[in-house]
Amino acid sequence: QPKAFIFDLDGVITDTAEFHFLAWKQLAEEVGVIFDRKFNEQLKGVGRMDSLERILQLNPERAVMPLAEKERLAAQKNANYLELIAKTTPADILPGIEELLRTAQESGVKIALGSASKNAAFVLEKLELTHYFDYIVDAATVKNGKPHPETFTTAADALGVAYSDCVGIEDADAGVTAIKSAGMFAVGVGDAQHLPHADYRVDSTDELEFTDIIRRYEEHQA
Ligand code: BG6
Ligand code: MG
């Protein structure tokens, strides 16, 4: 069986993907950019400054601005986001996730978080899930964000597990690509249209069953 599971946070463990969307949308309105859910798909898994750049590109008049102004906008988005997650509690853990974490831990599988978010440790605390994690990738110290594999390879290196013994779980295409580029088995959560590269895909977290993941992983290795 695999030796480690590396979980994405936003959109896998809890539905903060929706709050990132809403926080960017508020900001986009202030900078005169029209921004919809379809465009938002390409922001999933992408870091704060890179996301801002992509949004600004939508309005050629705002695409060029001083770095200080960009930093102010990124800070504003984060303030919007923090307000939206202020009431997050363990009730916001997505269905099936805590059971999967518990089963994996009981089966001796190591668990890491591979998130692009600088708020990841804070969100895990609010969900009261920190104790399941053997390692949390610090988004601030990873140089290359998803789809680069560094987030996932950093987690595996810290756990001392070979990449081929790792399973990554993601809701974003950028994240699935990062997992695959790391040489790991990629589990995608979401619709097929957005996750064409996953090794194993489910529609939603309540379909994430430990034994199914192990079976699919082993079939893939065979
Ligand atoms: C990722 C989210 O997990 O973290 C992105 O999918 C988000 O939507 C990114 O932009 C960075 O998050 P933060 O909290 O550092 O702004
Ligand atoms: Mg995600």
Side-chain angles (χ1 to χ4, degrees):
Q1 74 176 44
K3 296 196 172 77
F5 277 12
I6 306 171
F7 285 82
D8 175 46
L9 174 70
D10 297 315
V12 170
I13 289 178
T14 184
D15 199 14
T16 36
E18 180 65 13
F19 294 144
H20 281 293
F21 168 66
L22 295 172
W24 280 126
K25 202 168 157 59
Q26 279 177 37
L27 186 91
E29 275 158 20
E30 287 169 36
V31 293
V33 168
I34 298 165
F35 168 65
D36 58 14
R37 278 180 193 277
K38 187 167 177 290
F39 179 80
N40 186 59
E41 281 304 315
Q42 48 168 293
L43 298 183
K44 288 186 178 173
V46 175
R48 198 182 300 169
M49 282 311 254
D50 282 351
S51 299
L52 176 64
E53 293 289 354
R54 292 189 196 198
I55 290 168
L56 294 176
Q57 294 300 325
L58 292 173
N59 181 352
E61 282 168 34
R62 300 304 300 269
V64 180
M65 62 169 71
L67 181 61
E69 177 67 359
K70 286 182 183 169
E71 279 167 354
R72 191 190 67 77
L73 292 173
Q76 178 61 50
K77 183 269 175 177
N78 196 48
N80 298 345
Y81 178 68
L82 289 176
E83 204 170 301
L84 289 165
I85 63 166
K87 293 198 185 78
T88 296
T89 71
D92 296 303
I93 300 168
L94 284 169
I97 290 294
E98 188 154 14
E99 195 189 333
L100 179 61
L101 288 166
R102 195 183 311 116
T103 315
Q105 190 176 60
E106 285 168 2
S107 310
V109 171
K110 288 187 176 163
I111 301 172
L113 192 75
S115 172
S117 173
K118 293 181 178 161
N119 296 298
F122 175 63
V123 173
L124 270 195
E125 280 295 318
K126 289 183 85 75
L127 298 172
E128 297 177 17
L129 289 177
T130 310
H131 62 99
Y132 285 108
F133 289 82
D134 298 298
Y135 190 75
I136 294 171
V137 171
D138 184 346
T141 60
V142 170
K143 279 196 219 78
N144 306 290
K146 303 170 189 177
H148 191 284
E150 189 180 343
T151 301
F152 292 92
T153 55
T154 301
D157 292 345
L159 297 174
V161 173
Y163 304 153
S164 58
D165 289 331
C166 294
V167 172
I169 305 163
E170 264 286 351
D171 69 318
D173 186 52
V176 167
T177 302
I179 295 167
K180 299 290 300 166
S181 312
M184 300 177 183
F185 183 78
V187 177
V189 184
D191 54 83
Q193 194 196 334
H194 295 128
L195 297 167
H197 306 110
D199 293 311
Y200 171 44
R201 191 194 56 78
V202 295
D203 287 321
S204 62
T205 58
D206 53 3
E207 292 167 46
L208 287 172
E209 291 269 356
F210 182 74
T211 49
D212 290 341
I213 295 171
I214 301 301
R215 184 167 47 80
R216 293 298 196 119
Y217 168 86
E218 279 164 1
E219 282 168 8
H220 186 263
Q221 304 303 103

